[in-house]
Amino acid sequence: MPNVLPFEPNLAYVRELLGTQMDLTTLGTGCVRDAHERFGRLQEQVPGGEEPPSERVMTQHRELFGREYRSQSEGEHP
């Protein structure tokens, strides 16, 4: 088997993408930075007004272990 390719060289690229494009959403066939009201309503309806399960797990982890759930080897999450 060949050696596994390390992910580390891609960290800067992925962090840059998250930092610059995380707030993009679609409107028709284009992309916009402002959350469209339809998208906002959907985001409120899907979890039924509660914190999503994935966020609850991360909150519980922070409370139990006193640190972030995800690795932040390159600093604060974008």
Side-chain angles (χ1 to χ4, degrees):
M1 298 260 311
N3 287 337
V4 176
L5 294 174
F7 188 65
E8 288 81 16
N10 297 320
L11 283 176
Y13 172 70
V14 171
R15 291 176 65 78
E16 190 259 329
L17 283 179
L18 287 172
T20 60
Q21 299 184 18
M22 196 159 97
D23 60 343
L24 289 179
T25 186
T26 60
L27 180 57
T29 58
C31 290
V32 295
R33 290 218 176 266
D34 297 325
H36 191 262
E37 64 183 46
R38 184 178 54 180
F39 176 73
R41 282 195 311 267
L42 177 67
Q43 292 298 81
E44 291 171 2
Q45 292 173 355
V46 169
E50 296 180 9
E51 186 178 41
S54 57
E55 291 295 323
R56 282 192 300 236
V57 167
M58 289 191 282
T59 300
Q60 289 172 353
H61 186 277
R62 280 190 292 272
E63 290 170 357
L64 286 172
F65 299 103
R67 60 183 171 86
E68 184 61 40
Y69 175 77
R70 56 189 156 230
S71 173
Q72 297 187 36
S73 61
E74 302 295 316
E76 199 62 31
H77 188 273

